[in-house]
Amino acid sequence: MNYDQIFEQAIQSLKDEKRYRVFTELGRHAGNFPKATRFLENGDEQDVTIWCSNDYLGMGQHPDVLAAIKDATDTYGAGAGGTRNISGNTHMICELERELADLHAKEAALVFTSGFVSNDATLSTLGKLLPGCVILSDELNHASMIDGVRHAGCEKHIFAHNDIRDLEDKLKAIDPSRPKIIAFESVYSMDGDISPIREFCDLADKYGAMTYLDEVHAVGLYGPRGGGVAEREGLMDRITIIEGTLGKAFGVVGGYITSTRNIVDSIRSYATGFIFTTTLSPVMSAGALASVRHLKNSQWERETHQERAATLKQLFRDADLPLLPSVTHIVPLMVYDANLCKQASDMLLDDYGIYIQPINYPTVPRGMERLRITPTPFHNDAMMAELVSALKDVWSRLDLRQAA
């Protein structure tokens, strides 16, 4: 059997469907976000402006974060030394977990190596620990949540996106005595919409369900201290488990959950994705800790971020570009075709030094391809004018659909 040929054919099928992903080699400029250098295969370099980073607030280059990382490197060294089961808890990760628990007004927190792992490990463990558990999951939940539900091995029901009535219909059909978990996100990162958290909590109370809220695209960005949409809406106390990331608004890497001591300790004790994975290094823990502490007390980043997103949306509307309406910081520009989306992305990068990755299936449904743009507090008016001009030219050259 020619094994390599099988893999070659698998890759070719992606290319044929125009959804083969190419990762651009970039080097971000410390202290000059969102500028970066693109490294080409022929050895050439190109200056680019990044417009699609999930480092929403530029905290990955904040002086306090960089100073904390440097200090932790000098104090503790680079690595964590293994899993916590082997190497114990590093001091910095304990400090970080206390800070995260406080951020979400919960009894305890647990840090993982990524947001993907925190979702997968936690949801899969919950489903195994609760006898007869049923998980009800929003149809647009992230792949990490989908994997977690699948790995739980328990009964599951998928409810229509943000649909309160559909969720209640499914809850009604479940034996009241069975444990239930409603799993959903706050901000959905492709369309930029927000879930009806209060209504979901009301249903959880009515039908005796736990609530599991993924706030990865909201922590740091919403709420008076950056606790997310649930904090902004005054609902954190009604959520059983709040999951978040350290790799987006906080600018570093890692994921976490916050909840009661018993729930967190159960996940710590049973989740294989936690037990058998080398823990986050003290260096990254220190950087994350500095970022969380800063954003708890500083409003400038959040306020400027919202203003920049609103400004760019209006510029797109004024330019008659096909903006998908969004109530959050996510700015989706619709292309509706995988091949054209890739062409538009390539033209922006090659001809204008503007880096925006195309978003194709399976991240979004076929026919809903888009450029997902994420302005930060550091994208100034001149950068926005340059972006709009480039987009108008690309739209004209490719004869793409204008706004309705």
Side-chain angles (χ1 to χ4, degrees), residues 127-380:
K128 293 170 182 173
L129 288 179
L130 294 168
C133 181
V134 181
I135 300 180
L136 300 103
S137 180
D138 189 288
E139 66 176 336
L140 293 189
N141 278 344
H142 189 262
S144 57
M145 300 177 75
I146 294 171
D147 275 4
V149 173
R150 182 184 299 118
H151 295 153
C154 62
E155 184 179 330
K156 67 177 185 294
H157 297 283
I158 310 303
F159 61 90
H161 178 54
N162 282 348
D163 193 319
I164 301 164
R165 180 174 297 178
D166 187 44
L167 174 58
E168 181 162 23
D169 287 343
K170 288 177 168 55
L171 285 165
K172 285 178 181 177
I174 301 170
D175 185 334
S177 66
R178 296 181 67 180
K180 294 168 284 290
I181 302 170
I182 303 171
F184 57 101
E185 302 181 37
S186 57
V187 174
Y188 285 84
S189 65
M190 290 299 117
D191 291 351
D193 56 336
I194 292 177
S195 61
I197 301 175
R198 186 181 304 277
E199 289 80 359
F200 285 172
C201 288
D202 289 343
L203 289 178
D205 292 344
K206 183 176 180 180
Y207 293 96
M210 295 173 59
T211 47
Y212 184 99
L213 176 62
D214 176 316
E215 287 256 41
V216 297
H217 291 279
V219 290
L221 303 173
Y222 298 92
R225 298 197 307 160
V229 177
E231 183 192 30
R232 186 187 71 178
E233 303 299 323
L235 298 170
M236 288 196 299
D237 62 314
R238 300 187 65 188
I239 303 295
T240 313
I241 301 172
I242 296 176
E243 184 267 349
T245 184
L246 304 168
K248 293 182 171 60
F250 293 127
V252 192
V253 67
Y256 65 89
I257 60 166
T258 63
S259 188
T260 65
R261 286 189 180 87
N262 283 334
I263 289 176
V264 169
D265 197 21
S266 294
I267 302 303
R268 180 192 70 86
S269 301
Y270 284 93
T272 55
F274 173 82
I275 295 169
F276 297 104
T277 301
T278 297
T279 189
L280 202 66
S281 74
V283 174
M284 290 297 100
S285 299
L289 177 62
S291 184
V292 173
R293 284 176 172 169
H294 175 83
L295 290 175
K296 278 184 176 180
N297 297 294
S298 175
Q299 302 302 322
W300 178 86
E301 289 84 2
R302 281 188 285 278
E303 292 173 355
T304 308
H305 184 232
Q306 290 295 316
E307 180 275 321
R308 292 284 79 191
T311 296
L312 187 61
K313 289 176 186 178
Q314 188 58 52
L315 289 172
F316 283 174
R317 285 189 286 266
D318 293 343
D320 202 31
L321 289 165
L323 172 71
L324 183 71
S326 160
V327 297
T328 63
H329 57 283
I330 307 296
V331 185
L333 203 58
M334 303 305 294
V335 181
Y336 304 106
D337 180 275
N339 188 34
L340 291 173
C341 196
K342 179 66 167 62
Q343 288 185 54
S345 174
D346 289 345
M347 290 168 65
L348 287 167
L349 184 58
D350 294 337
D351 300 343
Y352 304 96
I354 290 172
Y355 175 68
I356 309 173
Q357 275 290 82
I359 304 296
N360 297 331
Y361 178 83
T363 306
V364 295
R366 289 185 175 91
M368 296 298 290
E369 292 81 8
R370 67 197 64 186
L371 299 177
R372 175 184 177 273
I373 300 167
T374 53
T376 74
F378 303 98
H379 286 92
N380 58 37

